Amino acid sequence: MGSFMENSATRFLFVYHQNRNVILNPKKIWNTFDNDSNWFLTTNKASSKKISPNNNWILKIGTKKEPDDGIYCSINRNHNTISFQTDAISGIPVFWYAQNGLIIVASDILLIIKIAKMFDVQLTPNLQSASEILISSYIFTENQTLVNNINILQPRTILSMSLNNGSTNISSLPKFFHYNESNSMNWQDAIFQMRKNLVDGLKSYKDLRVASLLSGGADSRIIATSAHESGINPDFFTFGKNATNNSDFKIANLVASALGSKTNCITTSSENFLNNWKDMASYASWSSDSIWWAARLPKDFFNELATYDIVLRGDGDGVYGWHGSAVSIEDIFHSIEIPFPEVYKKFQEFFLSNNPIDTVSTSQKRLKKQYTNYKGNLRDLKNIIYSEIREPRGIAPGIWYFSRNCYVDAPLTWKENLNIASNLPNKYREQKKIIFSILKTFPQTNTIPFSDGASWNDKLEHYSSGVWEELIDYSDKWSPWSLNKALFKETFLQPHDSSVQKSSLKSILSKLIPVSKSNYTFRKMGMFLFKQHAGTSMSERILTRVALISNLCETLQTNYKKNVESESCPSITID
């Protein structure tokens, strides 16, 4: 592993206009990094700048471990060309808009919306992308966002632009994860080498103040145990409501204790959600429905994490074996939260006109077509699709809540570890077997069970606190679709006790497919006979998703002043 390189900036904004002067008014928050009469690059914190006589420089946003690991975005000026490069997971996103001589590149969509408004550009919601969030929790069409004409750069991709004429070009770098059938590793060598990569790589943080997010699952545990082995002894943070069962609170505390530490238990609440959800929607650039968990956290928690030198996360686990065998491409999509049409079409009745459920089938058919010529086995394809779709578009937005103000690293996404994932023996490419096998080598924690799930996804609390009423009324006002408000009220404005186990035929069938994960024949039968009863997160989070999309619609209709600086936007002058 390379050495740790810290940069002070975590957010950036680049603005260029072919025919107008654009001037940044530096104040307290946003600082000019480089500029000319018709363009500027600014960051949210002062960044050291070493510019050669030929105007060449490289700026790292976030945290990079040389040569090419970490959660970062690299911005490079080479004479009259400026380029933006994403990391292996797009942990710091690069959004960009290029229309009619105006180019805006930024680390969050709200920056682009506000700057576009200053140029009198009226942006509109992308209803195709909105329909994808509605059924799957994230946008699964490549490069798309929830706003028309705003694109997102994919992982390991470079956006280059001429400062002379504004022409743009996109190029891809080699991906770190790709299966190599002719060069598979010995299984025991793979376990040994990945463990060594984690422990040795984390030693670069030994003299720093480190926080590690610790749940009750395997992915955060392998980071915690490797960090402890490396000698850095991080402060652990866990989210939850209580420790009365095998939830994150209880299990994370047991793990931290076994490592000679305690975990800082951050209590989530619906009250936090009511206060935070609109801001949190913009923090993740309206790119997934992750506000359902992030908005429950107190804002002070994110401010506290920003005081650490580095925050460690367990993202990137899916490429090491996402679930078990798959019986069809539709089965793979279902496993990454893109449900069967037979499932999501049941939600049509929540909408009265311009039904998004009718729209989304176009996206799903186009996605399926991309993989119809795949020649390998479906289990491997599941891991590939995880890395190409779910990880950058569904998982990465969860990182953005932290990387917009904190320095973040996800060791499972390091190049050397992804190289091991690419060369695992065929039969070990499922159920994250290498992660669990490495965990067995840490004696302090190998007898501690894993959590049964989070302790804080409590629908009854949202009901009693008034969250559902607020989201229904807000969505009814700002949604791009006409809603069946009566049905939303009937569905959500009543107490739901998740501890009560339903025994109806429908509820039993809804569990048939997930239960059969380890049995190929049983799973195939379930897919054929009962797929309309497969579970979907839409049943719990359709209202949250509609509210998220509605918040974007309200934001697009809000006007912003050019000469007022805020944390979410700098002050600029346009001539």
Side-chain angles (χ1 to χ4, degrees):
M1 289 302 133
S3 61
F4 166 73
M5 294 181 63
E6 177 182 340
N7 289 277
S8 55
T10 55
R11 299 170 66 209
F12 71 90
L13 168 68
F14 170 82
V15 180
Y16 166 97
H17 201 287
Q18 195 168 9
N19 305 312
R20 300 178 71 175
N21 290 334
V22 185
I23 303 169
L24 176 73
N25 305 320
K27 294 188 178 179
K28 294 181 179 180
I29 302 172
W30 297 91
N31 303 271
T32 303
F33 184 83
D34 199 359
N35 68 293
D36 206 336
S37 59
N38 67 330
W39 65 271
F40 67 80
L41 173 67
T42 178
T43 60
N44 64 323
K45 301 174 184 178
S47 299
S48 59
K49 177 173 61 174
K50 295 180 180 179
I51 297 182
S52 73
N54 294 321
N55 287 325
N56 294 344
W57 47 257
I58 297 177
L59 170 66
K60 299 295 189 300
I61 306 296
T63 303
K64 183 174 183 181
K65 290 173 68 68
E66 294 292 357
D68 217 4
D69 289 326
I71 300 299
Y72 72 94
C73 161
S74 177
I75 307 176
N76 180 15
R77 182 179 179 187
N78 186 357
H79 301 290
N80 288 317
T81 298
I82 190 167
S83 61
F84 304 82
Q85 177 192 325
T86 49
D87 61 30
I89 195 175
S90 292
I92 291 184
V94 175
F95 297 101
W96 62 289
Y97 168 93
Q99 297 283 320
N100 302 318
L102 172 63
I103 299 176
I104 312 169
V105 187
S107 53
D108 58 77
I109 285 180
L110 184 57
L111 278 167
I112 298 181
I113 291 173
K114 289 190 172 187
I115 296 297
K117 286 275 190 177
M118 297 175 191
F119 283 91
D120 300 318
V121 174
Q122 182 60 56
L123 297 169
T124 57
N126 183 331
L127 295 186
Q128 188 73 47
S129 295
S131 69
E132 294 176 19
I133 285 183
L134 203 60
I135 71 158
S136 70
S137 82
Y138 59 92
I139 301 166
F140 50 80
T141 296
E142 189 174 54
N143 302 321
Q144 296 299 296
T145 72
L146 206 52
V147 184
N148 286 315
N149 297 319
I150 296 181
N151 298 308
I152 181 170
L153 211 58
Q154 295 305 297
R156 299 280 295 158
T157 304
I158 300 174
L159 167 66
S160 302
M161 197 204 87
S162 168
L163 295 172
N164 290 329
N165 58 26
S167 60
T168 60
N169 179 68
I170 293 179
S171 57
S172 298
L173 297 168
K175 297 293 190 289
F176 293 154
F177 174 68
H178 53 87
Y179 282 124
N180 188 348
E181 300 299 343
S182 63
N183 192 33
S184 63
M185 298 181 68
N186 173 275
W187 175 238
Q188 293 302 321
D189 288 347
I191 295 171
F192 171 83
Q193 190 58 54
M194 185 167 168
R195 187 188 195 280
K196 185 175 186 300
N197 289 347
L198 290 167
V199 174
D200 290 352
L202 287 167
K203 288 178 181 177
S204 62
Y205 299 136
K206 193 169 183 179
D207 296 325
L208 302 177
R209 189 164 179 255
V210 180
S212 184
L213 303 186
L214 180 60
S215 69
D219 316 313
S220 63
R221 186 181 301 187
I222 197 172
I223 303 304
T225 51
S226 299
H228 179 266
E229 184 91 350
S230 71
I232 64 175
N233 297 320
D235 292 337
F236 297 115
F237 289 87
T238 303
F239 323 142
K241 289 289 291 184
N242 61 67
T244 57
N245 51 34
N246 279 356
S247 63
D248 286 342
F249 259 17
K250 177 180 178 180
I251 301 302
N253 272 284
L254 291 175
V255 171
S257 177
L259 298 177
S261 183
K262 292 181 67 176
T263 188
N264 298 281
C265 295
I266 309 301
T267 302
T268 61
S269 73
S270 293
E271 181 180 358
N272 288 335
F273 188 99
L274 283 169
N275 294 330
N276 299 342
W277 78 269
K278 293 179 184 178
D279 286 341
M280 288 296 176
S282 69
Y283 288 178
S285 291
W286 300 278
S287 295
S288 79
D289 77 343
S290 48
I291 58 167
W292 77 266
W293 62 265
R296 296 172 187 256
L297 294 164
K299 280 189 176 180
D300 288 348
F301 165 64
F302 294 96
N303 296 331
E304 182 178 0
L305 284 185
T307 67
Y308 283 81
D309 295 312
I310 194 73
V311 177
L312 301 176
R313 288 176 53 98
D315 303 289
D317 58 294
V319 298
Y320 300 95
W322 185 244
H323 300 322
S325 299
V327 301
S328 65
I329 291 181
E330 289 86 355
D331 182 16
I332 294 173
F333 289 161
H334 180 74
S335 76
I336 63 169
E337 215 172 347
I338 303 175
F340 312 111
E342 292 86 346
V343 172
Y344 64 70
K345 284 183 178 180
K346 295 181 291 187
F347 293 85
Q348 287 177 318
E349 57 192 9
F350 281 94
F351 305 93
L352 300 177
S353 63
N354 191 24
N355 202 305
I357 305 302
D358 297 331
T359 305
V360 77
S361 60
T362 303
S363 298
Q364 197 167 22
K365 289 175 183 176
R366 185 169 56 240
L367 181 64
K368 181 180 177 181
K369 190 175 181 180
Q370 293 179 26
Y371 298 95
T372 53
N373 295 322
Y374 178 77
K375 302 301 182 183
N377 67 60
L378 290 175
R379 185 209 51 232
D380 287 357
L381 181 60
K382 180 186 287 190
N383 299 336
I384 292 168
I385 289 179
Y386 178 94
S387 71
E388 292 181 351
I389 298 176
R390 181 173 173 81
E391 191 168 75
R393 303 173 209 171
I395 303 300
I399 300 177
W400 303 345
Y401 292 113
F402 303 92
S403 63
R404 74 189 311 272
N405 284 315
C406 307
Y407 307 116
V408 180
D409 197 4
L412 295 179
T413 67
W414 289 348
K415 181 179 179 179
E416 291 185 12
N417 291 331
L418 293 179
N419 183 59
I420 291 174
S422 302
N423 292 281
L424 286 174
N426 192 281
K427 67 179 180 179
Y428 296 110
R429 296 175 182 174
E430 61 183 29
Q431 306 289 4
K432 297 188 282 192
K433 289 182 178 179
I434 191 167
I435 291 178
F436 287 101
S437 295
I438 294 171
L439 282 171
K440 290 178 181 178
T441 70
F442 294 103
Q444 306 99 315
T445 60
N446 64 11
T447 61
I448 298 174
F450 297 96
S451 69
D452 297 334
S455 67
W456 43 279
N457 186 19
D458 189 345
K459 292 184 289 186
L460 184 59
E461 185 190 11
H462 265 15
Y463 161 77
S464 61
S465 65
V467 167
W468 298 138
E469 286 96 333
E470 171 164 325
L471 296 188
I472 290 172
D473 290 341
Y474 181 87
S475 299
D476 188 53
K477 180 177 180 181
W478 292 106
S479 169
W481 311 291
S482 178
L483 304 180
N484 185 343
K485 189 175 181 180
L487 181 58
F488 274 105
K489 286 185 173 181
E490 178 185 338
T491 303
F492 288 91
L493 299 189
Q494 55 180 311
H496 292 276
D497 186 355
S498 58
S499 65
V500 176
Q501 300 296 317
K502 297 180 180 179
S503 56
S504 66
L505 176 62
K506 181 178 177 181
S507 68
I508 294 172
L509 290 177
S510 71
K511 298 175 182 178
L512 178 63
I513 293 173
V515 164
S516 62
K517 285 179 182 178
S518 59
N519 187 309
Y520 181 89
T521 302
F522 188 42
R523 186 171 183 82
K524 192 169 185 177
M525 181 182 68
M527 290 290 178
F528 180 73
L529 296 174
F530 305 117
K531 67 169 63 173
Q532 70 272 25
H533 297 298
T536 170
S537 56
M538 284 185 76
S539 59
E540 294 184 356
R541 305 207 306 256
I542 185 173
L543 177 54
T544 308
R545 294 169 187 176
V546 173
L548 173 86
I549 295 160
S550 300
N551 179 252
L552 182 276
C553 292
E554 180 191 20
T555 303
L556 291 174
Q557 296 182 45
T558 303
N559 292 316
Y560 304 99
K561 296 181 179 179
K562 299 181 181 69
N563 58 353
V564 177
E565 184 188 58
S566 68
E567 182 183 332
S568 61
C569 192
S571 166
I572 70 171
T573 299
I574 304 170
D575 293 332

